[in-house]
Amino acid sequence: MSEKLVWRVEGMDCAGCVASLTRALEKMPGISGIEVNLMAERLTASLSTARPEEVERQVAALGFTATPLATAAAPDEHQGHSHHGHDDPAEAEKPWWATGKAKLTWLLGGLVGAATLLSLVLPERLTDPLFVTATAVALIPFGRRALALAHMGSPFSIETLMCTAAIGAVLIGAAEEAAVVVLLFALGEMLETIAAGRARAGIRALAALMPRTALRVTAAGGTEEVPAARLAVGDLVLVRPGDRVACDGTIEEGRSALDESPVTGESVPVARGPGETVRAGSINAEGALRLRVTHAASDNTIARIIRMVEEASASRAPTQRFIERFSAWWTPGAMIVALLVILATPPLLGWDWATSLYRGLAVLLIACPCALVISVPAAMASGLSAGARRGLLVKGGAALEAIGAACHIAFDKTGTLTEGRPRVTDLIPAEGRSEDELVALAAAVEQGSAHPLARAILAEAGRRGLSLPPARGFSATPGKAVQAVVAGRVVMVGSPRHAPVSGPLAATLERLEGEGKTVSVALIGNAPLGLIALRDEPRADAAAGMAALAALGVRPVMLTGDNARTGAAIAARLGLEAKAELLPEDKLREIAALRALGPVAMVGDGINDAPALAAASVGIAMGGGTDVALETADAAVLKDRVTGVAELVALSRATMANVKQNMAVAVGLKGAFLLTTLAGITGLWPAILADTGATVLVTLNALRLLRWKP
């Protein structure tokens, strides 16, 4: 029997830390399912025979601090805690200048600075011991970590390279350079900590959207202030004008305009009334509302967004996986090259042994793969955070990379390109039938269905004040028809392709479809009962969304179960290609055909589109069905706007451009310094600067993405 445990791990600041910690723990017996999340500072593992203290000792040996949190297996036991409730970020985060890495940097800076000043007035033999002392002070923590990593199966760590070079420099009499090398390395580590903290601040800003308290309505009708984390499903909550909403819920009473921009990025306040859903983190702009809580604090919109961003930051993009595999070979390869520089250049190029040893050590420092390894995850984490702030959620680096590469984007029509609220526009009863009879019988058959067209027919019956006759024996064929027995006769409502009509009704049907309307045919027995025409208006920004995608060089395609004439009429208004009369399995075939031409994204409302979303290279859900959308798709547009899809493509491309810039900086700087080192132009400390400098540049470049705007 294994127990799943979670720890908060402090001190991780780059992908290298994650890799070394993961490898070290994998070597331990009795531990499995190891997940290390850099952005969330979380370690999750299942322990069978290993004890928690052993895990904490192993983590400490690598220079990190592990603090146990709640048991991952039992979320309900701490119902009152959100995913973040266990450790207040404000308490957990020390200011960067007070961290252990910063203190080491200040100490080394002081020692190297003092030694440098004294070297101006004292002879070298008196100041060299000061430089050696500074080097030794740094080598204690770095050396301990290098030994721990070597013991745990990672002999070629950056710490090993740096310690080897520093000790080698002291031995060949370059104590001053050895001290500068360890100081620059410590400085680089400190800057990585600051950068990682900046990226995490993006996620903490989301957590800060949740108010600490809420006004719960008591049984007596009054209100009591309770911690927001203690709200349970079914509680009634009062939200006053100006309050931030503390829960996901539905409005029981009141009307107001809600500013949802903190959650969805949608700048215009949205009017909401009884029966409508409200998201945690929104701001109530006008009237007082009474909300019925629909999700516990640990599962509301904000908590799920935070969880998604954290999990997304932990999942690796294909480019990142390649870089990690490459760096596993790069470091041992670089050590062999350094050894060749030391051993082969004296006989081949006539260098003296001191020169070959010095330059070989410099090559060793240039070989540190830190900047290259961090180039991808730093950009990905910033891109994911920037998107989340603007209501664009992506479930990981792989999805973020795939969205920008898509050649085609397929859109479901109903609820995605259109409002998803069709209404009846025309009623054409067959000869001898009335409009009321047509609506009453069709509504009786449709009352078991949740399809948007069924809801529209039921709404029309409600508007006319019709009482529906009893129906039994309901059956449905998805995409074709529904039928039931009403007053002893079989009544069917279906698409014209599966319930054909002839004569005057057929001519009317053609005219209505030409106007971009969806027509349902009602039959009683086998005789026509009449036609019901419905129209679902395109979203206000659908045409702009298609134009934005076309401008990015992406081809949008509409996939719809609707008839070809209606599909063509709507597609012409929006400016995209239409594939109509598709059953669910036909949509899968269309996606497969598009995939043969290149990567394809599918956009749907996440409910009936789940198979197509899964079949595409990347599935994007519109935020209308947030619950289902967040679960089924690889990405979600929370603001319910079609233009959000083009924004996702732009975000993906901006992130991948940042990744390429980072890789160019990391490899370019190293290449340049490798040449200058072998030519004898630069020495040891510029070599470590090539790595530290590249790491800092790469990280700062990645942080620029946090300011990304569509």
Side-chain angles (χ1 to χ4, degrees), residues 207-264:
L209 294 176
M210 281 303 296
R212 297 271 171 183
T213 59
L215 288 174
R216 185 163 62 193
V217 179
T218 61
T223 58
E224 57 178 350
E225 192 169 39
V226 295
R230 290 238 311 274
L231 290 176
V233 175
D235 280 353
L236 195 62
V237 175
L238 174 68
V239 185
R240 298 165 302 192
D243 282 356
R244 197 183 279 277
V245 180
C247 58
D248 280 5
T250 50
I251 299 175
E252 293 257 314
E253 205 181 296
R255 288 186 176 278
S256 183
L258 285 142
D259 175 4
E260 297 182 349
S261 61
V263 188
T264 65

Side-chain angles (χ1 to χ4, degrees), residues 335-692:
M335 293 188 93
I336 292 166
V337 171
L339 204 59
L340 285 173
V341 170
I342 294 167
L343 300 176
T345 49
L348 292 176
L349 301 176
W351 294 0
D352 59 72
W353 286 103
T355 302
S356 74
L357 187 59
Y358 181 85
R359 291 182 189 174
L361 292 172
V363 168
L364 204 58
L365 289 174
I366 291 164
C368 294
C370 252
L372 194 60
V373 171
I374 201 175
S375 61
V376 185
M380 288 291 175
S382 292
L384 292 164
S385 295
R389 288 183 188 178
R390 288 165 180 82
L392 307 172
L393 293 188
V394 187
K395 283 188 179 175
L400 188 59
E401 193 167 327
I403 290 167
C407 309
H408 293 84
I409 296 190
F411 288 85
D412 173 52
K413 178 177 76 78
T414 308
T416 303
L417 287 175
T418 63
E419 295 283 359
R421 290 194 290 273
R423 44 188 194 79
V424 174
T425 57
D426 304 81
L427 293 163
I428 316 292
E431 206 172 324
R433 303 281 180 183
S434 70
E435 287 189 1
D436 281 3
E437 183 187 13
L438 170 61
V439 174
L441 289 171
V445 173
E446 295 280 23
Q447 59 194 328
S449 172
H451 194 281
L453 297 181
R455 287 204 298 268
I457 293 170
L458 286 161
E460 181 65 23
R463 252 195 313 277
R464 289 170 173 260
L466 303 175
S467 55
L468 305 186
R472 58 185 173 78
F474 292 97
S475 68
T477 312
K480 295 182 181 178
V482 288
Q483 66 178 47
V485 178
V486 185
R489 300 190 67 183
V490 175
V491 177
M492 184 176 85
V493 181
S495 118
R497 297 191 304 291
H498 305 288
V501 289
S502 55
L505 282 180
T508 309
L509 171 69
E510 200 169 320
R511 174 180 62 77
L512 292 169
E513 287 184 342
E515 292 168 8
K517 292 168 183 172
T518 302
V519 183
S520 289
V521 176
L523 302 177
I524 184 161
N526 285 322
L529 185 60
L531 306 177
I532 302 173
L534 307 99
R535 181 142 71 189
D536 184 9
E537 292 301 323
R539 290 180 185 271
D541 70 327
M546 297 307 103
L549 284 172
L552 289 166
V554 180
R555 225 175 100 211
V557 181
M558 181 172 79
L559 305 182
T560 177
D562 223 328
N563 68 82
R565 280 189 293 266
T566 303
I570 290 176
R573 277 175 68 184
L574 301 183
L576 79 165
E577 186 188 340
K579 307 263 186 187
E581 302 186 4
L582 302 177
L583 296 172
E585 58 270 26
D586 299 328
K587 286 188 182 180
L588 290 181
R589 245 196 327 276
E590 287 294 339
I591 293 285
L594 289 171
R595 272 195 90 153
L597 303 172
V600 60
M602 169 73 194
V603 187
D605 57 13
I607 300 160
N608 54 356
D609 305 308
L613 288 171
S617 313
V618 60
I620 302 170
M622 293 291 278
T626 308
D627 279 25
V628 190
L630 291 185
E631 307 315 321
T632 52
D634 303 299
V637 178
L638 283 191
K639 62 176 89 172
D640 245 0
R641 278 176 39 197
V642 183
T643 45
V645 178
E647 289 172 11
L648 266 177
V649 174
L651 173 65
S652 166
R653 291 184 182 176
T655 305
M656 293 316 294
N658 195 287
V659 165
K660 286 174 186 144
Q661 291 159 6
N662 284 353
M663 287 163 68
V665 166
V667 175
L669 263 179
K670 285 180 183 300
F673 274 98
L674 183 63
L675 293 174
T676 57
T677 299
L678 292 175
I681 299 165
T682 55
L684 272 181
W685 69 264
I688 193 76
L689 197 60
D691 186 68
T692 303

Side-chain angles (χ1 to χ4, degrees), residues 21-22 26 91 94 160 191 199 219 239 278 386 395 417 449 452 555 615 638 642 686 705:
L21 186 54
T22 306
E26 281 169 350
E91 290 169 24
K94 283 183 190 162
T160 306
L191 290 171
V239 185
V278 175
K395 283 188 179 175
L417 287 175
S449 172
R555 225 175 100 211
L638 283 191
V642 183
L705 269 176

Side-chain angles (χ1 to χ4, degrees), residues 117-137:
L117 288 173
L118 288 171
S119 69
L120 300 174
V121 290
L122 294 175
E124 202 173 285
R125 63 190 169 77
L126 294 177
T127 52
D128 264 6
L130 274 173
F131 288 117
V132 173
T133 305
T135 309
V137 165

